[in-house]
Amino acid sequence: MNIISIIDDFKKNNSMLWVEDNGIKLFVSEDFKSDELKKTITEFKTEIFNILVFNGIYSKIDFLNKLIFKTDTQESILSFAQERLWFIEQYEEGTNAYHMPFLYELDKETDKEGLKYALQQIVSRHEVLRSTIEPRKDEGHGMQIVHNSPLFIEEIIVDETDDYNSLLNETINRPFNLNTEYPIRVVFYTIKSSSEVLQSKTLLLITIHHIASDGWSLEIFESELFDYYEAYVKKDIDFSLPALDIQYKDYAQWQRSYLTGSVLEDQLSYWKGKLSGYELLEFPTDYARPATIDYKGEDYDFKINSKITERLRALAQQEGLTLNNVMLSSINIMLGKYTGQNDIVIGTLDANRQQIQTEKLIGFFINTQANRTILNNSQNFVELIQEVQRDQIEAQLNQDLPFEKIVNDLGIDRDASRHPIFQILFEMDSFGKEEKKSEEQKKYLKPYNADEAYINARFDIVISINNHGDEMEGEINFANSLFNKETITRFSKHYLHLLDELTQA
């Protein structure tokens, strides 16, 4: 019996458990009372008592205020999102498709030992970064196992005449063995100079597997890296970050227990209705679709000039709409013109951190969301945005259900050549994150260009809009197996023209 499931059943049924006078106290709603419940509580009394004490649950208020309970176990089932990536890794016997690399050049004054210390502290703090995944054939799924061994940090010395960019490329793209290897790889490269004038330089390459991280997590990682490093160089031996309330494994266990019963049925019912009879978007490609996704990709950047940017922002403000929904609506129109279809389904990303306990946690939380819009020629642009915004509000109320669960439970056929349900994804980004860093931080760790050593394409097309500055910036990531760059360049020009037309007074 999963004790977390017992606790979640109490929460779902307006009932409570807590410890008082060295025993378990209960409040059980009338419709939840049963002989079976009484038997379960009696049988697992010790385990329930221990987990309540471990989480500091000594009153009704304590119980009500804690959504996700932590456990002291060293292993846990995977979250739904992790399970999908783990399946892909097993199926493809290792792939680089879900690597998240970032590369820095160290300032000559940067203390390498301080960075090593900071990295070890982060891995010690976040259990998901020191976990492996063990296949359980008898149970039909994988288990993440937490280890206590320190992170292995590799150091490599090369000459400046060596092709070290190729070495970086190889390290970034080398698949992880998630069964035996932590989902984080750290390498320091010292590039020796033969010149008496020029100094050697040191690069720091950190590659994290998506199964243990997401974009939000990378911000946490970088922030904690700076915090621990600065404490080290200042010899602040009393420094510590606030303790984490839970670990990722606790979230994964909670997610599996929470998404059952009426919660699961209600959210599945919403998505079944939303996606019933949807059309596959037939965006024209330059090349025949390969039998399997090869993940090779390329990026194309463009800018939305200041006049159009200003008009888009003014439209959103004037109509009380979000800029995200304004841009999503414009993408729907664009895809409708390219495909000749009125039924448009595209993906967006949701941070999926509704629970306050997950805000400071490194892990794979992000969820992809299917967005379906039926274009109607009788609608004007503002009416379309209003419809899209209503749909987004409804979707937010049903966002607990992972995309992987929707695909599985809706019985959608898997196709190795494309992402299920949608193949084009849209996201609003804020690329100005580096401005949050202090000048000191920018000095001792500088982003380093690795000659585009790692650009992949998990979807046919991903359209990203950065709402930062006087001119919004766009980026189109596209699959090389489907499109040439000229087609994507032309697409961006058509999109800019459409935005201009849509925002004309």
Side-chain angles (χ1 to χ4, degrees):
M1 171 66 68
N2 185 339
I3 306 305
I4 298 298
S5 296
I6 297 174
I7 289 171
D8 281 338
D9 283 344
F10 266 75
K11 285 188 171 291
K12 290 176 183 177
N13 289 279
N14 299 314
S15 301
M16 290 170 276
L17 289 160
W18 69 96
V19 170
E20 187 178 313
D21 297 330
N22 207 34
I24 298 176
K25 295 289 185 179
L26 304 88
F27 170 80
V28 183
S29 62
E30 285 299 322
D31 55 356
F32 188 44
K33 290 179 180 178
S34 69
D35 291 339
E36 183 180 353
L37 177 64
K38 187 175 181 180
K39 180 182 177 182
T40 299
I41 297 299
T42 302
E43 183 177 354
F44 296 99
K45 181 179 179 179
T46 301
E47 292 86 347
I48 294 170
F49 178 86
N50 288 340
I51 201 167
L52 290 173
V53 170
F54 190 56
N55 284 271
I57 308 301
Y58 297 106
S59 68
K60 293 178 181 179
I61 296 298
D62 289 341
F63 185 84
L64 292 172
N65 287 343
K66 186 172 287 289
L67 178 62
I68 303 174
F69 280 65
K70 63 181 177 180
T71 65
D72 59 359
T73 179
Q74 293 299 98
E75 64 178 54
S76 166
I77 195 168
L78 303 176
S79 69
F80 288 111
Q82 283 183 312
E83 187 174 58
R84 177 174 65 88
L85 294 199
W86 184 70
F87 172 80
I88 291 171
E89 287 284 340
Q90 299 296 299
Y91 179 78
E92 300 201 5
E93 298 181 345
T95 173
N96 68 346
Y98 292 92
H99 292 186
M100 306 180 75
F102 42 119
L103 183 64
Y104 301 104
E105 180 178 353
L106 276 60
D107 184 78
K108 65 180 185 299
E109 301 297 329
T110 302
D111 188 327
K112 188 196 293 186
E113 294 305 312
L115 290 175
K116 290 180 183 178
Y117 166 82
L119 290 163
Q120 295 290 4
Q121 292 300 310
I122 294 170
V123 172
S124 176
R125 176 174 167 81
H126 297 274
E127 290 181 355
V128 72
L129 295 176
R130 48 186 170 89
S131 300
T132 58
I133 299 176
E134 182 179 304
R136 299 285 174 88
K137 294 181 180 178
D138 55 328
E139 300 175 20
H141 55 70
M143 296 290 289
Q144 48 191 329
I145 314 297
V146 178
H147 303 272
N148 292 320
S149 302
L151 172 68
F152 171 67
I153 297 177
E154 189 174 5
E155 294 193 65
I156 296 176
I157 299 175
V158 296
D159 291 323
E160 64 177 357
T161 55
D162 295 334
D163 185 6
Y164 56 85
N165 279 329
S166 294
L167 187 60
L168 290 169
N169 190 306
E170 187 279 327
T171 304
I172 289 171
N173 290 284
R174 185 173 73 247
F176 283 84
N177 183 345
L178 296 173
N179 294 0
T180 60
E181 186 181 357
Y182 287 179
I184 175 172
R185 184 181 296 147
V186 175
V187 186
F188 283 93
Y189 293 92
T190 299
I191 302 165
K192 295 175 65 177
S193 173
S194 57
S195 168
E196 295 182 1
V197 178
L198 298 176
Q199 290 185 326
S200 299
K201 64 182 176 182
T202 301
L203 305 180
L204 169 60
L205 173 61
I206 303 170
T207 308
I208 304 178
H209 196 290
H210 207 339
I211 207 164
S213 187
D214 53 24
W216 185 307
S217 297
L218 293 185
E219 289 191 53
I220 295 171
F221 188 100
E222 193 170 68
S223 174
E224 292 189 359
L225 182 67
F226 293 141
D227 288 341
Y228 281 121
Y229 176 81
E230 289 178 340
Y232 180 91
V233 297
K234 293 175 182 176
K235 296 181 171 55
D236 184 359
I237 59 175
D238 295 325
F239 173 80
S240 65
L241 291 171
L244 294 171
D245 193 39
I246 60 170
Q247 292 288 337
Y248 184 82
K249 70 178 192 299
D250 303 318
Y251 164 80
Q253 191 69 64
W254 168 82
Q255 184 193 49
R256 294 281 183 167
S257 298
Y258 175 73
L259 286 171
T260 56
S262 61
V263 174
L264 175 62
E265 291 170 8
D266 290 347
Q267 296 206 17
L268 265 178
S269 176
Y270 168 80
W271 288 108
K272 283 180 179 178
K274 186 67 179 175
L275 296 173
S276 176
Y278 79 93
E279 293 181 12
L280 197 65
L281 197 64
E282 298 293 347
F283 192 92
T285 61
D286 296 311
Y287 313 111
R289 185 177 295 274
T292 58
I293 302 173
D294 68 6
Y295 299 111
K296 292 177 182 175
E298 192 173 342
D299 292 337
Y300 176 78
D301 297 329
F302 64 96
K303 288 188 176 183
I304 302 174
N305 70 44
S306 57
K307 288 184 179 180
I308 298 177
T309 293
E310 186 178 351
R311 295 204 300 259
L312 287 164
R313 289 171 178 165
L315 173 63
Q317 185 174 17
Q318 176 183 326
E319 300 294 335
L321 303 164
T322 69
L323 185 60
N324 179 79
N325 289 328
V326 171
M327 303 308 293
L328 178 58
S329 300
S330 69
I331 292 293
N332 284 327
I333 295 172
M334 185 70 181
L335 295 177
K337 292 185 177 298
Y338 258 73
T339 62
Q341 296 172 249
N342 292 327
D343 189 348
I344 309 296
V345 181
I346 63 175
T348 53
L349 297 178
D350 175 29
N352 194 31
R353 292 183 186 246
Q354 300 91 282
Q355 306 81 18
I356 193 169
Q357 290 166 285
T358 65
E359 286 185 359
K360 301 297 184 181
L361 202 56
I362 290 175
F364 184 19
F365 294 93
I366 198 165
N367 192 23
T368 48
Q369 177 179 300
N371 303 271
R372 186 181 187 185
T373 302
I374 307 298
L375 298 175
N376 185 337
N377 289 333
S378 65
Q379 276 183 325
N380 62 36
F381 187 41
V382 171
E383 289 170 338
L384 173 62
I385 306 168
Q386 290 170 339
E387 179 186 328
V388 167
Q389 184 144 312
R390 286 192 296 269
D391 287 345
Q392 289 296 300
I393 292 171
E394 286 185 3
Q396 289 295 303
L397 297 175
N398 295 276
Q399 66 179 336
D400 292 316
L401 196 63
F403 180 75
E404 295 75 21
K405 188 72 173 166
I406 295 172
V407 173
N408 290 336
D409 287 35
L410 267 60
I412 294 169
D413 292 335
R414 294 283 187 174
D415 182 346
S417 71
R418 68 182 78 208
H419 188 273
I421 303 181
F422 57 83
Q423 294 75 50
I424 295 178
L425 185 135
F426 166 76
E427 59 180 345
M428 286 287 288
D429 272 327
S430 179
F431 301 156
K433 297 167 188 168
E434 68 277 0
E435 296 196 359
K436 297 177 184 178
K437 305 175 194 173
S438 69
E439 290 304 314
E440 188 67 22
Q441 290 169 347
K442 292 177 184 179
K443 176 184 175 184
Y444 62 70
L445 274 182
K446 298 173 285 189
Y448 184 84
N449 181 13
D451 291 335
E452 299 183 339
Y454 181 79
I455 301 178
N456 67 4
R458 296 168 193 156
F459 300 87
D460 293 4
I461 292 175
V462 176
I463 303 164
S464 303
I465 303 295
N466 166 24
N467 180 29
H468 181 79
D470 294 335
E471 292 184 324
M472 286 195 286
E473 297 175 355
E475 179 185 271
I476 302 175
N477 172 260
F478 61 96
N480 290 129
S481 61
L482 298 175
F483 305 102
N484 60 50
K485 195 166 187 175
E486 289 73 22
T487 295
I488 300 302
T489 302
R490 187 165 57 250
F491 176 85
S492 71
K493 290 179 179 178
H494 289 162
Y495 181 51
L496 292 173
H497 177 73
L498 176 68
L499 290 175
D500 189 27
E501 291 292 315
L502 289 173
T503 57
Q504 291 286 352

